[in-house]
Amino acid sequence: MTGVPAPAGSSGAQGASSAKPVRGGKLGAAAVNQASLWNVANLLTMVRLLLVPGFVMLLLGNGGYDPAWRSFAWAAFAIAMITDLFDGHLARTYNLVTDFGKIADPIADKAIMGAALICLSWLGDLPWWVTGAILGRELGITLLRFWVIRYGVIPASRGGKMKTLAQGTAVGMYVLALTGPLATLRFWVMAVAVVLTVVTGLDYVKQAIVLRRQGMAEARAAAAESAREAAK
């Protein structure tokens, strides 16, 4: 943009080099800049969003207690959980992160999990307090992230990932029409999921408070430094 012509052949060489993916399969900077709404990660997120109403209809189909319908609902839920793993991985690995993905991905996650919990409680399979505890925690952490976003981002912890795995496994077991020992097992898996939900929620609150205090301290220090520079 300076008006100085580039050396002959340089633009072609640079274009060719920037178009090639870097070693390891990751896209180069030029491809990153061209990441659009219709990339594979966002498409998987859209699929997960579209699965929510279908999952609800399958889970509640034929009165909500038909083992065949519940099996189809479980399949839809499993696909949603699998796409949740892949879309985030693809977005981070290939730099396909978009504003749409940042908003839609967590919405899709909470939509499928919330729909499953509410339907299971409505059918009488799961106590309402369990649904309230899990959804209350998810909503609270989301609001907490917005509260401290000006100071930084609270990273996903190992405990948070274990919580997500436990929740997905437990809810999936409740979606299926299990009986006998498996029905007992799913109760304990859900108990583990609830404990992890509460414990990791408290840990996020602690991280948010620490992050906000550090951010405010750094802001005060920067303001004081600016004031000293202005006084010179």
Side-chain angles (χ1 to χ4, degrees):
M1 300 301 291
T2 59
V4 179
S10 64
S11 60
Q14 290 174 0
S17 62
S18 63
K20 295 180 180 178
V22 297
R23 183 177 300 177
K26 296 184 180 181
L27 300 184
V32 171
N33 292 334
Q34 295 174 5
S36 68
L37 173 66
W38 301 104
N39 64 63
V40 64
N42 284 347
L43 289 175
L44 288 176
T45 299
M46 294 176 194
V47 168
R48 196 157 72 256
L49 284 169
L50 293 174
L51 278 173
V52 175
F55 164 76
V56 171
M57 289 188 292
L58 290 170
L59 182 57
L60 301 180
N62 200 22
Y65 299 101
D66 189 311
W69 284 89
R70 296 284 284 257
S71 296
F72 288 127
W74 178 87
F77 183 80
I79 292 172
M81 293 295 100
I82 292 171
T83 59
D84 180 30
L85 295 176
F86 279 102
D87 63 357
H89 174 74
L90 290 171
R92 291 187 297 270
T93 302
Y94 295 101
N95 293 318
L96 298 176
V97 178
T98 62
D99 290 337
F100 171 82
K102 292 177 183 178
I103 297 172
D105 184 64
I107 290 176
D109 298 342
K110 291 172 177 56
I112 190 70
M113 183 62 68
L117 290 167
I118 291 172
C119 287
L120 289 170
S121 292
W122 186 76
L123 290 170
D125 292 342
L126 193 66
W128 277 106
W129 70 264
V130 173
T131 295
I134 294 176
L135 295 185
R137 184 265 192 198
E138 298 301 329
L139 177 60
I141 296 304
T142 299
L143 295 176
L144 199 64
R145 289 181 185 276
F146 281 112
W147 183 53
V148 299
I149 195 170
R150 63 178 295 186
Y151 304 110
V153 177
I154 305 175
S157 64
R158 181 176 299 179
K161 295 177 181 178
M162 292 175 59
K163 178 269 303 180
T164 301
L165 177 61
Q167 282 184 2
T169 303
V171 170
M173 294 179 73
Y174 269 87
V175 169
L176 287 171
L178 300 178
T179 58
L182 288 177
T184 302
L185 177 62
R186 72 180 182 181
F187 168 83
W188 291 108
V189 175
M190 180 60 77
V192 171
V194 171
V195 170
L196 288 173
T197 296
V198 174
V199 171
T200 57
L202 294 174
D203 181 61
Y204 276 120
V205 171
K206 178 182 176 182
Q207 289 186 57
I209 293 173
V210 171
L211 182 62
R212 189 170 188 271
R213 286 176 177 174
Q214 290 177 346
M216 292 177 67
E218 291 173 0
R220 287 194 295 267
E225 180 65 24
S226 298
R228 284 194 295 270
E229 290 294 331
K232 289 182 180 179

